[in-house]
Amino acid sequence: STANAPEDDAPNRYSRTDRTTYSRYSRDANSSGSSIPSNALEKRIEELERELAKERQENARLVKMTQDKEELIGKLREEIDLLNR
């Protein structure tokens, strides 16, 4: 199923703003020694959970598509065998 998804797109999946925001949170937490505000963390967790749900849905769709294609391949092979006889 990974053959259908170009791996080069993975770094571009997140917008520049998301990456910048995440980097800013990491920098702020590391430089000041204070923790990230919990509401910001909660927002980020919610975003990641939504993204995870989308990715799982896409994964399930790709698995189903792969199974359907494998089933079709099996049927076509049987038909080819019958035609060859």
Side-chain angles (χ1 to χ4, degrees):
S1 65
T2 57
N4 293 338
E7 293 180 34
D8 296 341
D9 289 345
N12 300 323
R13 184 177 299 154
Y14 308 104
S15 70
R16 184 172 179 225
T17 305
D18 289 345
R19 287 192 303 256
T20 304
T21 303
Y22 182 74
S23 297
R24 186 184 74 231
Y25 287 152
S26 297
R27 250 196 332 268
D28 290 348
N30 292 336
S31 63
S32 66
S34 64
S35 63
I36 301 168
S38 63
N39 62 349
L41 281 176
E42 288 172 10
K43 272 187 183 179
R44 185 67 179 141
I45 288 170
E46 288 174 10
E47 289 174 20
L48 290 172
E49 285 174 346
R50 281 193 299 272
E51 187 174 328
L52 179 60
K54 286 179 190 175
E55 292 295 329
R56 285 183 173 157
Q57 188 176 16
E58 175 69 2
N59 189 39
R61 187 185 71 80
L62 291 171
V63 166
K64 169 111 174 65
M65 202 164 67
T66 301
Q67 289 170 344
D68 292 346
K69 291 193 187 264
E70 287 174 356
E71 184 180 328
L72 178 60
I73 289 169
K75 288 179 182 177
L76 291 171
R77 283 185 176 155
E78 289 174 12
E79 190 173 335
I80 289 170
D81 287 344
L82 285 174
L83 291 171
N84 282 335
R85 290 181 196 159

